[in-house]
Amino acid sequence: TAAPAPGLFEEAFRSALDGGADGVVCINISSKLSATIQSAQAAANSLGADARVRVVDSRSVTMGLGMIVLEAARAAAGGASVDEVVAVAEEASSKNRVLGSLDTLENLKKGGRIGGAQALLGSLLSIKPVIEVVDGAVEPGPKQRTRSRALRWLVDQVAAEPKIDQLAVMHGAAPDLGELLDLLAPHFPREQIVVADIGPVIGAHTGPRTIGVSYQKG
């Protein structure tokens, strides 16, 4: 769970630039949850202002970050300039929501990433915590007494949006993945929902059975 060293970023930046890239846009996991962006910025600074390396704070995680990166990649593939790609990434970040249901907050507590969800710790045994990434930090949602109610809360957040451009469900070995997809289907075409595993970086902090949604507001 340690942040990558600046040298790894510098190596990647140099490789891209030496390979003929006009510039590099590096979009990072939220600065409020990781020091990764500090390493990226240090590497960019070491290359100098002429290197055309821009570092962006996604203020998001997991598939929220993924959606922002995809938006930026599409812009780059369409011929956008470095500054235009940065603008697309920042706009996508402002429209992104990440919500999750955890089996326990214990992993977030141990990893020091609990943020405002600290308020839920006193009732760990009697609730199924729901969280949201708000401006890059982990914040608590309303307390849910059962897992099924936690899933319903996730669905209600999606259903309340007037328009959604992209929707993803991400999970860490969640046995009720199919149930959540069924609940979401009336609100968004099921065949267009991206399903992704929560990787080891986020999974180390959220623990097994975590399940969540990420979407871009239209």
Side-chain angles (χ1 to χ4, degrees), residues 10-32:
E10 184 174 345
E11 181 181 341
F13 296 162
R14 289 189 185 277
S15 176
L17 295 169
D18 291 346
D22 296 327
V24 175
V25 178
C26 177
I27 305 170
N28 295 265
I29 188 173
S30 172
S31 62
K32 293 182 180 179

Side-chain angles (χ1 to χ4, degrees), residues 27-33 37 56-61 64-65 68 89-96 98 133-137:
I27 305 170
N28 295 265
I29 188 173
S30 172
S31 62
K32 293 182 180 179
L33 298 175
I37 195 170
V56 178
D57 185 353
S58 73
R59 296 181 298 166
S60 192
V61 294
L65 170 58
I68 296 164
E90 291 175 342
E91 174 71 10
S93 174
S94 71
K95 295 181 177 180
N96 183 257
V98 174
V133 178
V134 179
D135 195 27

Side-chain angles (χ1 to χ4, degrees), residues 144-165:
Q144 306 297 323
R145 294 295 175 186
T146 65
R147 176 77 168 194
S148 61
R149 288 186 179 182
L151 295 186
R152 172 52 65 184
W153 179 79
L154 294 175
V155 174
D156 287 346
Q157 305 313 297
V158 172
E161 295 290 347
K163 186 175 185 295
I164 289 177
D165 287 336

